[in-house]
Structures are given as C-alpha cells and as structure tokens.
Amino acid sequence: MTELTPQANNLDQWLDAYAARAETLTVSEVRALFSVVSRPEVVSLAGGMPYVAALPKDLLSDAYESMMRTRGDLAIQYAGGQGDLKLRDQIRDLMALEGIHSSVEDIVITTGSQHGLDMIAGLFLDEGDVVLAEGPSYVGAIGIFRHYEAHIEHVYTDNNGMSPEALEESIDRMKKQGKKIKFLYLVPNFANPSGVTLSADRRPKILEICKREHILILEDNPYGLLYFDKPVPDALRATDEDGVIYLGSFSKILAPGFRVGYVLAPPAIRDKLVLAQESALLCPSSFTQFMISEYLAHADWQKQIDTFRGVYRERKDAALSAVREYLPNVETTTPDGGFYLWLTLPEGIDSKAMLPLAVKELVAYTPGTAFFGDGTGQRNLRICYSYPTPENIKIGIKRLSNVINLQTELLETFAK
Amino acid sequence: MTELTPQANNLDQWLDAYAARAETLTVSEVRALFSVVSRPEVVSLAGGMPYVAALPKDLLSDAYESMMRTRGDLAIQYAGGQGDLKLRDQIRDLMALEGIHSSVEDIVITTGSQHGLDMIAGLFLDEGDVVLAEGPSYVGAIGIFRHYEAHIEHVYTDNNGMSPEALEESIDRMKKQGKKIKFLYLVPNFANPSGVTLSADRRPKILEICKREHILILEDNPYGLLYFDKPVPDALRATDEDGVIYLGSFSKILAPGFRVGYVLAPPAIRDKLVLAQESALLCPSSFTQFMISEYLAHADWQKQIDTFRGVYRERKDAALSAVREYLPNVETTTPDGGFYLWLTLPEGIDSKAMLPLAVKELVAYTPGTAFFGDGTGQRNLRICYSYPTPENIKIGIKRLSNVINLQTELLETFAK
C-alpha cells in the first residue's frame, strides 16, 4: 500500500458521469449546523423544528388503532398517485379556515410540502428561468430553485411583507434583461426566515400585478394557522383559483415526521403534478396519510393547534424580551405567529463569520446569507424559537449577546 | 355564461410556462389500469401489488408500541437526510443475505426505491444520455429515464437474463453513434416484468464488461429474497463496490405503504444522493423508518418472508398451470421467484389492442409495450400473480384464453 491509497479511495471515479444539475448540489449552511444542534450543551436557535413534545401521543395511538381496525391492509398497500380521497376532503376543511374554497379533485397529497415544491419546480423551471421571491426567502426553496438551475430574484420585503411596488420594478428589470419569469414564490404568513406577514392590503395588489403580467404565484403556507392572537388575512388562493398554486403542510400543525403536505393547483397543473408524483414515488405513503386522516377525524385538532399557538407565543415572547434586554443595538422583526425572528446586526458584523464563535459560546443560529440566492444577508441572522424552552431561549440569546459584544468591541478597536 | 365556458375552464393558461421536461410526463399504460383494478368483478393480473393480507397485523402493532414507547417524539420529528442510523445497520444485515458487505455510512434510506431511482437518474442524466436496460425493463424506471430526457437502449435478454454478448454489441453501437452511456439498469432477480433471473455465470461477465467500458451499474433488487426454492446468486454489488449502485426495498418483503427503500452507493455518489434527498424532501419519514426498524428488531422477519414465499410460490404454480392448460399456444417464462410471468402471444395478436376486450371479459393485464422504451413488445403481456387468489388467477387466465382464442379465430378468418 502506498501513501496515496487512503486518498485514492476517496476519489470519485464517476466524476465525468454526472448531469449538469448535480453541480448545483452543495452543502447548505443550515445543514452544516445539524451536527451542532445535537450536542445537549448547545442552545440551538438554528433548525426550524416544531415542538412535537406538546402533542399528546395517545391522540396518535387512537389514530393508529382506528386505522388498523378499519383499513389496515390498505394502509400498507400501494395506492393512487394523487393521495387518499378522504384525507383530501379533510384538507378542504383545513384550507377553508383561510378562506379557500376547493375541490378534492384539485388537491394532490405530497411527501411533505418540500416535495410538492420540488415537483412544481421540476414542472416549470428550465435553466436560466427566473423565480421571484421575498428577500429573505425560505432556504429549502432557494436550494430547489438552484437545483433546477433557475435564477432567484429577491424582491424588497419589509415588515408588511413583499412590496408591490418593488415587485413591479423587479418584473420590469427582468423583462428588460429578456429573462423569462416562471413564478413568484411567497411565504405570506409568518415567513421563514423573516417572521413577517404579507398585509391584507398588499395581497390584492400582488395578485393584480401577477395576473396582469401572467406570472404564476406559488403560495407556500405552512405556518398560517399558527397565529398568536388574530387569524391571518385570507390566502391569496382564496381570491384567485387560476393563478395560484397553494402549498400546505401537516409538519407544523401536527408533526413533520409523517412527511405529509399537499398542493392545491389549477386542473391542468394538478394533472401534471400527479404524473410527476407517480414517476418520482409511485404514490405517497398510505400509512402516514391514514394516520393523519384518522387523527383529523377523531382528535380535537383545532384544540391541539391552540395548544401549539400557546407554546409558540410564550417562546416568541421570551425571545423578543431577551433580544430587547441583551441585544439593544440589534434590530428584530416582531412576528404575529410562526417560528422565527430575523435580526439585523450592527454594521460591520458578519453573521456567518461569527457563527463558529457563537458555537464556542454554546449557541447556534442560522446566518442570513442562507436565505438569499445572491450572497446578501451578511448582517442578518435567523433565530428559531419554536424548539428550545423559554429559559433556554433566554440563555441562548444572552450567550449570543456576548459574542456580538465581543465583535463590536473588536470592530471599535480596529476602527481606532 | 356562454356555451364555451365549461371548456374554457379546462384550458391551461400556463401552457407556455412549463419546462421542457414536463412534456415527458404522459399517462402510462399501467396507470390507466388502476381504475379497472378496483372493480371487484374484474380479475386483475395487472398491478404489481404484494399480498399484504399475509402479514399478521399484530407484528405491526408491536412495532408501533415499541416505537412510541422508546422514541415517540423522534418518530414524528424532522431528522437527517441520510435516514435512521439503526435502520441502516439493520439493512446491512438484510443485504448480507445476498453476499453484500457494506458500511452504514454508504446507505441512504429513500421514500421507496422508486425515489432512489428518481434521484440517481437526476444526478446522472442529461438530455440525450443513454441508459442501457434489459428488454423488457421495469415500466417505472423507463418512465423516470424518459422524464430526464434520456434514451433507453434495450439489450437482448433471454431466460438467463441479459446477454453479455448483446451488451457488448449495444455498447459498441452506442459508442459508434457518439452517444454517452451513463449507466446500465438491471433487475437481476425475478425481473419485473419478465420474471427471469440473471444467471450466476453471466454476472461476472456483465461486471467485467461494465468495468472495462467504465459504465456504472444500477442494480435494482426488490424481489431477490422472494425466491421459491433456492436463494439467488450473489448480488452484483457483492463483488464490485465501486462500480455498482444497489437499490433495495421493503415494499415486497414487508409492505409498500410505508414507502421505504434504500440505496447503497460508492461514497462520492452517496454524498450527492444525501444532498439530492435533502433538497427534494428535507428527510425521509422517521415514522415509517422507525416502524420498519422496530419490526426488524422484534418480529421474526425471516419467517415472514418464508410465509410470503409460500404464498407467491402457490400463486405462481396456479398461474403457470393455468397458462399451460388454457393457453397452449402462448409462450411463458417460468420464474424461480417474484411476482411475474411474461407471455408471448401467437403472431399477429396485439396485446394493447386486445386489452379493452379482455377487460370486457373481466380480466386485466399489462400490455408488453409498457416495458419497452421503443414501442416493441406488442406480442407480449405481463401477468402479475402476486395479489389474486390461486382460484381467481385460474379464472382470470381462462377468461384471457377466451379473448386470445377469439383474436386467433379473427386472424384466421381474415387470413383466408
């Protein structure tokens, strides 16, 4: 054995065989944090995990027993590519809470809404196409759009969500550059990562612009029912059934481990989605679909969502008050629901460069650059308050303040 | 409302927005049969469904209880993109039954092996690339390769599986045409749809040819453990860990409704697969992974596979004897395991054209053309004997003989 052998084993002899799209797969900034999260001494404000411990497990056991009693063989068999009809009917009721009228025919069950997004991107995106998105936008969506070799154009977004005026400007700029805009991707409620909600008065404006410009809207709404005090404005899909593809999920209002989400789409797109799903998966899991269907049929799921709302409201309050107490020079959004705060650090501090120091202080977060396709967001970071206890959130943000203060001192020293 | 309105609603206003790859999504011949299958008066020899009624449900309830008792919160939470470590370790033992030595590091859990295949195709296939495959080959794989705009080149296959000589000829032909061969796709054991097994003496020849020509092998093996009498030859992956990507599944040895499969790949490819999975799904379902892990840990799963073997052996015998009794002019393969017979009809009969007549006679099958990418297979059809009872298999094949006899008579009349 020569010295080279261990290294030679790691060489990829298939390097010349990959498709062009394989080059788009890079390790994300969020992914690198997973190993950190698992160390118990670290307070992780990074990963966007729901607090599933707040779900009484007997509700699941009841669902399991009912499923196996009534349709046990079907639960473990192949099924249709569109998803279970009964669950699709229950999803209609769920979407009606946000003003959406729909037909079971137009709903496709997916393996988490992430896979819905992946399939939609696959249906629409050719290399070089443009996707308009909030700035910042969901890291998982950015990853998918990149994988399909699209260009992500961020539209200016403030505390009331995406700016309609900025949207018009972005569309004009893209058109002038001769680029083909395929859709507008939006998380209108308690957005990941910003926590902001698209205001009621902006919604018809965004719809009108997109209708006029013939731009399809992808409305991704995993958090809408997790408001703290008052319900969110009606979904965009509620007033436009031809121009909006709506994505929903059970990951945040129930649990992500089932990997069940759904897409509501205009009929022609829905047909293509079912075919794409049959190609990629044959069918989504009946076992997890039926679990959720039985849960919705027998458990008081609205009360359970209320329980989650209470948990997250308390944690949001803990996070906000800690930011105000320990980080007076840091700006933060003030969400009305969901999982996230979006912080803006004092000028000159780079959140990505600071992360290893934070981890050394036993606190983790997600750097802002993860949420932009263009490298901006250096001064930002995302705090996810959904998983740690209020006490740990406070400890974590105090630790974060130590790191930020040290950075600020260093900056001042160098500036002298 | 004008008369045009209902039709206008069905128009697709996004027709100009789809990606090129969306055009590859067409309704498959197998899919169109699903509506037929559900009618109880039809004997369906079409869909490849395992007989999950032979799985005692208390084995699943034990698994559920153990899972919720030991790691209930983890079962419903997000997790890593590679899949559960404990389940990966159990999969090592499963693969060892077919001679494969592996590391947990190189195993990726997938949402059914179909999604593994979809991700691998996405990693390697650019438009116009060539995939070599058996003739006939698995319809779901053909659909995926088509979706990634690849050319499928079928290699002559007989009762001992793919011919090594024909493989060399196909490679030469493709090279002369200046085409880029990305991989060889194989179902070596009790292949879908042919039922044939790649003989032990051909395996090293195929491996040698692919190694020499630097062609990656995809070994798709969902049926290997479902032999009737004697175990299959060692997997191709058993003797080549750098040149083979191996796909396995729990769909046939346990149940498909969990949608859990796995991929064993060389390290560099495995890393890309994990990234592709994180992009497409975030992570596979912990809930279904843990169910299977607990089942493997506590149930006598080898005995259960024995039970399945007995069920399928009896049904294969029923199918073969019915074919011999009622269809003396029809050739059939004689599988040593798995789910399928592949029939060759008398010259002049088109199995696809005959299908509506068969359905009228209350029997369904899959036309041979579904299993070729090039339109051949008109004289062939696939019979799946895994799901109906032996009595119904016999009834179904008798009905099929009525249709075939009628076709033969018609042909003879026209020939006069």
Side-chain angles (χ1 to χ4, degrees):
Chain A
M1 301 259 282
T2 71
E3 266 187 297
L4 281 171
T5 309
Q7 204 176 352
N9 281 342
N10 290 326
L11 286 177
D12 183 4
Q13 62 164 292
W14 302 106
L15 208 56
D16 58 337
Y18 295 110
R21 76 180 73 77
E23 282 172 35
T24 63
L25 292 167
T26 50
V27 177
S28 85
E29 286 152 287
V30 170
R31 180 174 189 254
L33 293 166
F34 267 110
S35 56
V36 170
V37 170
S38 60
R39 284 164 48 198
E41 67 274 23
V42 174
V43 172
S44 176
L45 305 168
M49 292 192 295
Y51 188 64
V52 295
L55 177 72
K57 300 307 175 294
D58 57 344
L59 298 181
L60 296 183
S61 295
D62 291 347
Y64 176 83
E65 276 158 34
S66 176
M67 164 175 85
M68 295 310 284
R69 197 172 56 241
T70 57
R71 39 181 189 163
D73 277 337
L74 288 174
I76 59 172
Q77 187 56 273
Y78 288 114
Q82 187 164 0
D84 182 52
L85 185 61
K86 186 178 162 194
L87 179 57
R88 282 188 276 140
D89 196 41
Q90 293 165 312
I91 287 169
R92 285 182 68 236
D93 296 338
L94 205 62
M95 292 191 294
L97 294 176
E98 297 183 59
I100 294 173
H101 298 280
S102 62
S103 154
V104 288
E105 294 301 315
D106 296 334
I107 298 167
V108 182
I109 313 266
T110 59
T111 303
S113 67
Q114 184 78 8
H115 196 236
L117 198 54
D118 180 66
M119 290 190 290
I120 293 164
L123 281 183
F124 286 99
L125 298 178
D126 286 314
E127 189 187 345
D129 284 342
V130 170
V131 175
L132 300 169
E134 290 139 327
S137 184
Y138 167 50
V139 58
I142 292 173
I144 285 174
F145 302 149
R146 239 188 221 148
H147 185 49
Y148 288 96
E149 302 173 88
H151 167 77
I152 300 136
E153 180 72 14
H154 293 286
V155 178
Y156 177 75
T157 302
D158 60 24
N159 286 327
N160 291 311
M162 180 177 282
S163 152
E165 294 73 30
L167 175 60
E168 285 187 308
E169 284 164 28
S170 293
I171 293 170
D172 280 350
R173 195 168 53 251
M174 290 298 105
K175 281 162 77 176
K176 272 179 193 145
Q177 291 178 23
K179 290 192 173 156
K180 187 154 191 175
I181 300 170
K182 282 297 177 71
F183 47 74
L184 167 64
Y185 172 76
L186 274 175
V187 183
N189 301 312
F190 324 131
N192 179 359
S194 70
V196 307
T197 295
L198 183 64
S199 62
D201 64 306
R202 284 185 177 182
R203 296 187 182 217
K205 290 178 190 165
I206 301 255
L207 282 165
E208 191 201 295
I209 294 166
C210 287
K211 197 177 187 73
R212 189 202 328 135
E213 300 284 350
H214 193 60
I215 293 171
L216 189 61
I217 296 176
L218 295 201
E219 180 176 25
D220 189 1
N221 186 27
Y223 307 102
L225 294 176
L226 295 177
Y227 52 83
F228 299 138
D229 297 306
K230 61 175 209 299
V232 293
D234 273 357
L236 297 166
R237 170 57 178 75
T239 51
D240 185 353
E241 64 180 46
D242 298 319
V244 179
I245 301 179
Y246 179 90
L247 293 116
S249 174
F250 288 100
S251 292
K252 274 76 181 190
I253 59 167
L254 177 56
F258 298 112
R259 305 314 294 121
V260 177
Y262 47 92
V263 176
L264 172 65
I269 297 173
R270 167 213 68 200
D271 286 347
K272 287 191 163 58
L273 262 178
V274 173
L275 290 173
Q277 174 136 290
E278 288 174 348
S279 176
L281 290 177
L282 300 180
C283 59
S285 166
S286 293
F287 194 75
T288 55
Q289 287 182 76
F290 289 8
M291 278 294 294
I292 291 178
S293 180
E294 295 292 338
Y295 169 82
L296 293 174
H298 302 296
D300 188 346
W301 58 268
Q302 301 230 32
K303 188 178 149 221
Q304 180 57 37
I305 293 178
D306 258 341
T307 301
F308 282 129
R309 280 182 196 125
V311 167
Y312 299 134
R313 189 195 294 110
E314 187 191 3
R315 290 169 187 208
K316 180 264 300 180
D317 288 341
L320 268 185
S321 72
V323 167
R324 280 162 188 159
E325 182 177 350
Y326 300 117
L327 298 168
N329 298 323
V330 170
E331 283 174 51
T332 178
T333 53
T334 54
D336 297 319
F339 287 11
Y340 309 105
L341 298 187
W342 179 249
L343 305 190
T344 306
L345 302 176
E347 210 163 330
I349 301 183
D350 181 326
S351 69
K352 196 172 163 184
M354 189 177 73
L355 185 58
L357 305 170
V359 171
K360 214 178 145 202
E361 286 285 323
L362 305 180
V363 60
Y365 57 82
T366 312
T369 45
F371 306 98
F372 287 91
D374 58 10
T376 57
Q378 290 104 324
R379 269 179 67 192
N380 298 107
L381 60 86
R382 185 190 75 176
I383 279 183
C384 178
Y385 51 75
S386 56
Y387 195 74
T389 60
E391 296 68 35
N392 279 334
I393 290 169
K394 202 172 165 175
I395 292 168
I397 290 176
K398 191 164 189 306
R399 289 175 184 169
L400 184 59
S401 75
N402 296 338
V403 186
I404 294 175
N405 290 340
L406 189 66
Q407 292 288 295
T408 313
E409 281 170 33
L410 278 171
L411 275 172
E412 283 166 2
T413 309
F414 277 107
K416 274 172 193 164
Chain B
M1 301 261 279
T2 72
E3 267 186 297
L4 281 172
T5 310
Q7 204 176 350
N9 281 343
N10 289 326
L11 287 177
D12 183 4
Q13 61 165 292
W14 302 106
L15 208 57
D16 57 337
Y18 295 111
R21 77 180 71 78
E23 282 172 35
T24 62
L25 292 167
T26 51
V27 177
S28 85
E29 286 153 289
V30 170
R31 181 176 188 251
L33 293 166
F34 265 111
S35 56
V36 171
V37 170
S38 59
R39 285 163 48 199
E41 68 274 22
V42 174
V43 173
S44 177
L45 305 168
M49 294 191 296
Y51 188 63
V52 294
L55 177 72
K57 301 306 173 296
D58 57 342
L59 299 181
L60 296 184
S61 296
D62 292 348
Y64 176 83
E65 276 158 33
S66 175
M67 164 176 85
M68 294 311 284
R69 197 173 55 243
T70 57
R71 40 181 188 163
D73 277 338
L74 288 174
I76 58 172
Q77 188 55 276
Y78 289 113
Q82 188 165 0
D84 183 52
L85 185 61
K86 185 178 163 195
L87 179 57
R88 282 188 275 141
D89 196 41
Q90 293 165 312
I91 287 168
R92 285 182 67 237
D93 295 338
L94 205 62
M95 292 191 295
L97 296 177
E98 297 183 59
I100 295 172
H101 298 278
S102 61
S103 153
V104 289
E105 295 301 316
D106 296 334
I107 298 168
V108 182
I109 313 265
T110 59
T111 303
S113 68
Q114 184 77 9
H115 197 235
L117 198 53
D118 181 66
M119 290 190 290
I120 293 164
L123 280 183
F124 286 99
L125 298 178
D126 285 314
E127 189 187 346
D129 284 343
V130 171
V131 176
L132 301 170
E134 291 140 327
S137 184
Y138 167 50
V139 57
I142 292 173
I144 286 173
F145 301 149
R146 241 191 219 144
H147 185 50
Y148 289 96
E149 304 173 86
H151 168 76
I152 300 137
E153 181 72 15
H154 294 287
V155 178
Y156 177 75
T157 302
D158 61 25
N159 287 328
N160 291 313
M162 180 177 282
S163 151
E165 295 73 29
L167 174 61
E168 287 188 305
E169 285 166 27
S170 292
I171 293 170
D172 280 349
R173 195 169 52 250
M174 290 299 103
K175 282 164 76 177
K176 274 179 192 145
Q177 292 178 22
K179 289 190 174 159
K180 187 153 192 174
I181 299 169
K182 283 295 176 74
F183 46 75
L184 168 64
Y185 172 75
L186 275 175
V187 183
N189 301 313
F190 324 129
N192 179 358
S194 70
V196 307
T197 295
L198 184 65
S199 62
D201 63 305
R202 284 186 177 180
R203 295 186 182 217
K205 291 179 190 166
I206 300 256
L207 282 165
E208 191 202 296
I209 294 166
C210 287
K211 197 177 186 74
R212 187 200 331 134
E213 299 285 348
H214 194 60
I215 294 171
L216 189 61
I217 296 176
L218 296 201
E219 179 176 25
D220 188 2
N221 186 27
Y223 307 102
L225 293 177
L226 295 176
Y227 52 83
F228 300 138
D229 298 305
K230 62 175 209 297
V232 293
D234 273 358
L236 297 166
R237 169 58 179 76
T239 51
D240 185 352
E241 64 181 47
D242 297 319
V244 179
I245 303 180
Y246 179 90
L247 294 114
S249 174
F250 288 100
S251 292
K252 273 76 179 187
I253 59 167
L254 177 56
F258 297 112
R259 309 310 297 122
V260 176
Y262 47 91
V263 176
L264 172 67
I269 296 174
R270 167 213 66 200
D271 285 347
K272 287 191 164 57
L273 262 179
V274 173
L275 291 173
Q277 175 138 291
E278 288 174 347
S279 176
L281 291 176
L282 300 179
C283 60
S285 165
S286 293
F287 194 75
T288 56
Q289 286 182 77
F290 289 9
M291 277 294 296
I292 292 178
S293 180
E294 296 291 338
Y295 168 82
L296 293 173
H298 302 296
D300 188 346
W301 57 269
Q302 301 229 32
K303 187 177 150 220
Q304 181 57 37
I305 293 178
D306 257 341
T307 301
F308 282 128
R309 280 181 197 128
V311 168
Y312 298 134
R313 189 195 295 109
E314 188 191 4
R315 290 170 187 209
K316 180 266 299 180
D317 288 342
L320 268 187
S321 72
V323 166
R324 281 162 187 160
E325 182 177 351
Y326 300 118
L327 298 169
N329 298 322
V330 169
E331 281 173 51
T332 179
T333 54
T334 54
D336 297 319
F339 287 12
Y340 310 105
L341 298 187
W342 179 248
L343 306 189
T344 305
L345 303 176
E347 211 164 327
I349 301 184
D350 181 325
S351 69
K352 196 172 166 185
M354 190 177 72
L355 185 58
L357 305 171
V359 171
K360 214 178 145 204
E361 287 284 323
L362 306 180
V363 59
Y365 57 81
T366 312
T369 45
F371 307 98
F372 287 92
D374 57 9
T376 56
Q378 289 104 324
R379 269 179 66 192
N380 298 107
L381 59 87
R382 185 189 76 177
I383 280 183
C384 177
Y385 51 74
S386 57
Y387 194 73
T389 60
E391 296 68 36
N392 278 335
I393 291 169
K394 202 171 165 175
I395 293 169
I397 291 176
K398 190 163 190 307
R399 288 175 184 168
L400 184 59
S401 75
N402 296 337
V403 186
I404 294 175
N405 290 341
L406 189 66
Q407 292 286 297
T408 313
E409 281 170 34
L410 277 171
L411 276 172
E412 283 166 1
T413 308
F414 277 108
K416 275 172 191 164

